[in-house]
């Protein structure tokens, strides 16, 4: 498997170079380049029998021509496909080479969607292969044309050539060594020779069921590796040293007794779990997971208080200055109240460090000398010149907003030879399947209970053109009760719009109402109330001032971009209107909605749409459920984990076969990987496995 790629028959230096360029260096890399899908060419239909939907047609093509549309700068290539029974039109967009690709004497298989476009049925953007090529490859590789593997487009070689190289390797497949350990109770398909058999079946299937069986095994292998990597990371984490922070039971009880509210059962349990973990000399690596409004901040604050009481420092990292400031102010108020209630109580000295902080050098000195016990801040905390005297505990709020590198930077600020305890907090619930896999190295504390007295949030989708008039009376009614409103819309001033449409061209925001115009309009509609504007491009102190005014109810309607998306807490705001709601993802909508319903009044959320027809699945799910966990599962299904945990953390998490929504598979693999990970030293006996999971280990570390 580790032999260089140019040892394969049919791979000359030029081909080898091309393959190396796309990361295929060894025989193993080549073999793990799995087919994207399988095509059943025997399912080709005659043109007279065509039905709308995905189809395969075997026919010739003629009358090809390409034209340009002036308005959307598209090229359109059209042609006519015919067989003995009839003819249909076909069309490709922005694929001008299609006009020259075909020889009108030969037959091709065309695979595409047969659908109604502008009142006519056409075959849109079909892929095409020479029919004789398919027959030749099938006979050469010993596969059947009813289950032909299709390899991904990233291949720099023509698919048929790629397949040819693989079939040259065909006799070698039986020699592929097993990868996974055999553990008692492994499912049936992990038997000696299973891997060789599976890879063979995937590349040279006799039929669809055969290919499927092969893929099932490979999916198991992938999930096993992913989980094992996370488990091993956990083991490695356990070998690091951290500062032990003994549980000061009496001290904590005193604080808890004097809080302005009673902790929920879930808050008590989580606090207890965390305080226990902080006592250990191995670093805690824990996720505090709780839906929006479940009260995570106080749990973190109690842990920080215990850290300070033990003479060490805590850093609390927040993704936005608004949120950091809010944490700072609410904790300061909380601690002041406690100090007044219990004179002499030693509470943490806290400080705020954001980009806008004045006299930074002075503050940084105080942090370095250990005069500050709890530093709350944004990315400004991460700079090299922010040094701590004794950083023992890190809290990362809204952890999904940070990348691995940023977290790493913070963790490295601990004293030499020590790793800090880490508490990551998130309101973006991590579905169980991901908890077992990608996040398998984390301990989890769960806030599955909202503070008492919270009323459910009612959510409605409103079509702006038809139903907007229903909205204003509702707003009026709420304002008359002395309550407040968030109105969410997109930034885009005219100049930004002009330049962004050139670069992105996505057209996603076109037609959206800009925040400024909306604020003006609402002020005219509600002259008796104060309407204010908030967006990310404003100066930091301006933003702070507006948030403060909103928190004090000096502003009644806050017209804002998504800068208020995470964490912002103004319990008197009980209505949120999200304009152009189709432009937001499900997780984001849920976060935005979480800004309301944080007090004891009923709250409502309106999702405005401008489109025609049925609202998207996302919006309908929002209307049906306020359960963040349920919505996260739905999101995972709609978008897939790559999207959700993509750019930021798992750019490389590139599962070829397995689906992170396959809970049965995950449960099985998890069980076996956990067994194996109990004796990590055994990995020495499986060098190929060890090297394959390295990439996952780097990815899952420090989630
Ligand atoms: P989140 O989990 O979304 O970060 P916060 O920590 O911001 O939630 O808390 C939301 C609101 O609920 C805050 O106003 C907080 O003071 C309040 N809160 C937290 N715990 C309780 C509780 N046990 N009882 C009543 N209110 C609480
Ligand atoms: Mg929060």
């Amino acid at each position: 498997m580790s032999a260089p790629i140019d040892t394969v028959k049919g791979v000359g230096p030029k081909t080898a170079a091309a393959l190396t360029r796309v990361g295929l260096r060894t025989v193993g890399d080549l073999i793990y380049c799995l087919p994207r899908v399988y095509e059943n060419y025997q399912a080709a239909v005659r043109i007279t029998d065509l039905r709308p939907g995905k189809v395969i047609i075997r026919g010739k093509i003629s009358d090809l021509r390409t034209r340009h549309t002036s308005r959307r700068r598209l090229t359109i290539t059209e042609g006519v496909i015919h067989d003995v029974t009839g003819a249909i039109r076909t069309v490709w967009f922005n694929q001008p080479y299609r006009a020259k690709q075909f020889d009108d004497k030969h037959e091709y298989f065309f695979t595409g969607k047969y659908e109604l476009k502008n009142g006519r049925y056409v075959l849109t953007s079909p892929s095409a292969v020479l029919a004789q090529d398919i027959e030749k490859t099938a006979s050469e590789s010993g596969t059947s044309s009813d289950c032909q593997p299709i390899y991904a487009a990233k291949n720099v070689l023509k698919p048929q050539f790629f397949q040819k190289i693989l079939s040259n390797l065909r006799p070698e497949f039986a020699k592929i060594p097993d990868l996974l350990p055999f553990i008692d109770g492994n499912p049936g398909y992990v038997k000696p020779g299973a891997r060789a058999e599976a890879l063979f079946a995937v590349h040279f299937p006799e039929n669809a069921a055969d290919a499927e069986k092969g893929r099932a095994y490979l999916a198991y292998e992938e999930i096993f590796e992913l989980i094992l990597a996370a488990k091993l990371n956990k083991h490695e984490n356990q070998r690091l040293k951290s500062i032990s922070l003994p549980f000061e039971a009496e001290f904590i009880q005193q604080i808890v007794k004097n809080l302005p509210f009673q902790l929920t059962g879930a808050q008590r349990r989580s606090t207890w779990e965390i305080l226990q973990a902080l006592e250990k000399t191995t670093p805690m690596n824990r996720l505090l997971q709780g839906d929006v409004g479940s009260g995570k901040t106080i749990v973190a604050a109690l842990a920080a208080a215990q850290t300070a009481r033990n003479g060490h420092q805590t850093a609390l990292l927040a993704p936005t200055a608004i949120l950091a400031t809010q944490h700072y102010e609410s904790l300061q108020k909380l601690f002041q109240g406690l100090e007044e209630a219990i004179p002499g109580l030693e509470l943490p000295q806290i400080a705020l460090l954001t980009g806008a902080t004045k006299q930074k050098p002075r503050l940084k000195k105080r942090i370095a000398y250990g005069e500050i016990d709890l530093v709350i801040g944004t990315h400004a905390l991460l700079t090299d010149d922010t040094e701590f005297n004794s950083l023992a505990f890190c809290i990362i709020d809204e952890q999904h907003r940070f990348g691995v590198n940023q977290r790493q930077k913070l963790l490295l600020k601990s004293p030499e030879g020590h790793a800090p305890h880490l508490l990551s907090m998130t309101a973006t619930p991590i579905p169980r399947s991901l908890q077992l896999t990608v996040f398998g190295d984390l301990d989890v504390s769960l806030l599955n209970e909202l503070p008492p007295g919270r009323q459910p949030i009612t959510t409605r989708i409103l079509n702006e053109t038809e139903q907007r008039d229903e909205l204003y009376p509702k707003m009026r009614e709420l304002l008359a009760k002395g309550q407040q409103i968030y109105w969410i819309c997109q930034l885009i001033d005219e100049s930004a719009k002009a330049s962004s449409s050139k670069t992105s061209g996505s057209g996603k925001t076109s037609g959206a109402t800009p925040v400024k115009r909306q604020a003006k309009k609402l002020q005219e509609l509600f002259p008796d109330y104060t309407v204010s504007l908030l967006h990310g491009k404003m100066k930091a102190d301006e933003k702070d001032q507006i948030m403060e005014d909103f928190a004090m109810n000096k502003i009644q309607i806050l017209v804002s971009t998504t800068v208020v998306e995470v964490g912002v807490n103004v319990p008197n705001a009980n209505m949120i209107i999200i304009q152009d709601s189709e432009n937001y993802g499900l997780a984001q909508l849920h976060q935005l909605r979480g800004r309301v319903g944080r007090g004891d009044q009923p709250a409502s959320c309106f999702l405005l749409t401008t489109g025609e027809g049925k609202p998207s699945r996302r919006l309908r799910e929002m209307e049906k459920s306020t359960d963040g966990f349920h919505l996260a599962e739905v999101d995972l299904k709609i978008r897939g984990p790559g999207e959700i945990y993509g750019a930021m953390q798992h750019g490389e998490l590139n599962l070829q076969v397995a689906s992170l929504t396959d809970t049965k598979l995950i449960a099985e693999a998890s069980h076996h990987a956990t067994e194996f990970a109990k004796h990590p030293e055994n990995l020495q006996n499986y060098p190929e496995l060890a090297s394959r999971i390295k990439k996952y280990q780097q990815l899952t570390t420090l989630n």
Side-chain angles (χ1 to χ4, degrees), residues 261-264 267 291-298 451-452 454 569 571 598:
F261 44 74
Q262 268 214 326
L263 291 185
T264 63
Q267 282 172 321
D291 211 341
V292 279
S294 59
K296 294 181 285 293
T297 320
I298 186 67
R454 296 278 165 82
N569 185 43
R598 299 174 80 87

Side-chain angles (χ1 to χ4, degrees), residues 140-158:
E140 274 175 4
S141 65
T143 52
S144 154
S145 65
D146 69 354
C147 189
Q148 271 299 298
I150 307 291
Y151 291 90
K154 88 157 191 189
N155 293 331
V156 280
L157 309 182
K158 274 179 107 172

Side-chain angles (χ1 to χ4, degrees), residues 181-417:
F182 301 104
I183 310 156
D184 279 346
N186 257 345
Y189 44 72
V190 190
K191 53 185 192 297
R195 184 195 192 197
E197 206 174 285
L199 285 166
F200 188 85
V202 162
H203 287 294
F204 313 110
E206 273 173 25
N207 50 47
D210 204 24
E212 197 33 59
K213 238 173 74 193
R215 290 180 77 83
Y217 169 81
L218 295 176
Y220 176 83
E221 207 177 78
E222 249 174 10
I223 296 287
F224 184 97
E225 287 173 349
L226 187 55
I227 297 173
L228 184 60
K231 297 276 174 208
L232 293 176
N233 273 346
K234 190 166 177 174
H235 267 281
E236 273 166 30
N237 197 45
Q238 295 301 308
R239 296 222 306 264
L240 301 174
K241 272 194 82 60
S242 63
I243 298 169
S244 160
L245 304 164
F247 193 166
E248 303 273 336
E250 205 176 310
F251 167 74
I252 295 291
Q253 268 158 20
Q254 251 186 330
I255 299 179
V256 170
K257 248 188 262 158
N258 287 281
L259 288 175
F261 44 74
Q262 268 214 326
L263 291 185
T264 63
Q267 282 172 321
R268 279 174 194 278
R269 195 179 54 242
S270 296
T271 306
W272 191 83
E273 285 166 1
I274 293 163
L275 296 183
Q276 295 274 317
L278 292 178
E279 285 194 307
K280 304 225 167 91
T281 51
T282 51
M284 172 173 83
N285 186 16
R286 181 172 294 265
L287 185 71
L288 178 60
Q289 188 173 320
D291 211 341
V292 279
S294 59
K296 294 181 285 293
T297 320
I298 186 67
V299 175
L302 287 168
Q306 166 160 295
T307 307
R309 169 81 177 196
N310 280 290
H312 299 282
Q313 290 170 294
T314 302
L316 194 169
L317 184 63
T320 63
I322 290 178
L323 192 51
T325 309
Q326 177 191 290
H327 280 324
Y328 172 74
E329 279 168 3
S330 69
L331 289 184
Q332 206 171 35
K333 212 170 107 198
L334 182 85
F335 290 161
Q336 246 163 31
L338 286 167
E339 261 158 10
E340 278 160 27
I342 324 164
L345 189 70
E346 278 174 65
L347 287 166
Q349 279 298 316
I350 60 178
L352 177 68
L353 179 58
T354 68
T357 301
K358 310 238 155 61
Q359 296 196 319
K360 260 187 233 150
R362 194 166 151 253
L363 175 59
K364 287 184 179 174
K365 254 193 204 123
R366 296 186 62 206
I367 298 170
Y369 289 147
E371 284 171 31
I372 307 288
D373 304 300
L374 169 57
V375 189
I376 300 170
T378 53
H379 301 84
L381 261 181
L382 304 176
T383 55
D384 289 338
D385 64 348
T386 312
E387 287 167 22
F388 287 81
N389 180 46
S390 173
L391 179 65
F393 181 33
C394 294
I395 304 164
I396 301 184
D397 195 13
E398 309 291 349
Q399 66 93 28
H400 60 286
R401 290 300 189 100
F402 294 95
V404 174
N405 292 343
Q406 288 166 320
R407 281 175 281 186
Q408 189 90 47
K409 263 201 175 140
L410 185 62
L411 297 183
L412 287 174
K413 294 189 183 293
S414 252
E416 204 50 48

